[in-house]
């Protein structure tokens, strides 16, 4: 099994920045993907950003140009740099991972991931 632990959430004013981290622990082998999802009150969970172990990235249209996903494979750690934050970015952010190649085609879909963290809260005030 794999355990994912998010950190870096908090409260920030509109226009500010936050950097989320996700550390992965356990057995990890083969090619795969890691991604960020978010869920706001009353809304469904949505894919935000994802990256394959070869460095290919995908972003939701709502965050393109503002968020950047990156990884440190040696540390088994995923990052999400969030700039120019807006109140509508307020949500519980989840880290997800899978180490099988099936995730390559649809990296922003929840069904592409086997492992999930418990989430970290991001709150953006106006």
């Amino acid at each position: 099994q794999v355990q994912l632990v998010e950190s870096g959430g908090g409260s920030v004013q509109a226009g500010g920045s936050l950097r989320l981290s996700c550390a992965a622990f356990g057995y990890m082998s083969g090619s795969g993907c890691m991604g960020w999802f978010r869920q706001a009150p009353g809304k469904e969970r949505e894919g935000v950003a994802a990256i394959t172990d070869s460095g290919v990235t995908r972003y939701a249209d709502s965050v393109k140009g503002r968020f950047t996903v990156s990884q440190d494979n040696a540390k088994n750690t995923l990052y999400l740099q969030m700039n120019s934050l807006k109140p509508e970015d307020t949500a519980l952010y989840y880290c997800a991972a899978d180490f099988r190649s099936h995730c390559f085609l649809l990296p922003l879909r929840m069904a592409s991931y086997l492992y999930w963290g418990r989430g970290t809260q991001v709150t953006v005030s106006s």
Side-chain angles (χ1 to χ4, degrees):
Q1 69 280 357
V2 174
Q3 182 182 3
L4 305 177
V5 181
E6 303 101 332
S7 62
S11 298
V12 65
Q13 291 185 313
S17 299
L18 286 173
R19 191 183 198 192
L20 306 183
S21 298
C22 172
F25 303 90
Y27 179 77
M28 292 160 282
S29 180
S31 300
C33 312
M34 295 189 75
W36 292 97
F37 294 75
R38 67 186 182 186
Q39 187 167 23
K43 297 183 179 180
E44 295 185 350
R45 191 175 301 183
E46 63 175 345
V48 176
I51 188 169
T52 70
D53 51 18
S54 64
V56 178
T57 59
R58 294 283 295 277
Y59 297 93
D61 289 340
S62 60
V63 306
K64 286 182 179 178
R66 299 189 297 120
F67 291 9
T68 302
V69 63
S70 61
Q71 64 187 2
D72 185 336
N73 289 329
K75 298 180 179 179
N76 292 321
T77 301
L78 179 74
Y79 303 97
L80 184 67
Q81 179 66 47
M82 304 184 293
N83 298 325
S84 302
L85 283 162
K86 305 174 181 179
E88 49 263 46
D89 294 318
T90 296
L92 188 64
Y93 283 70
Y94 297 89
C95 174
D98 202 300
F99 302 98
R100 300 169 295 177
S101 60
H102 74 274
C103 67
F104 291 173
L105 291 178
L106 299 170
L108 293 179
R109 284 204 170 192
M110 293 187 294
S112 295
Y113 296 88
L114 178 62
Y115 303 105
W116 292 83
R118 299 187 70 177
T120 184
Q121 179 67 39
V122 171
T123 301
V124 184
S125 61
S126 61

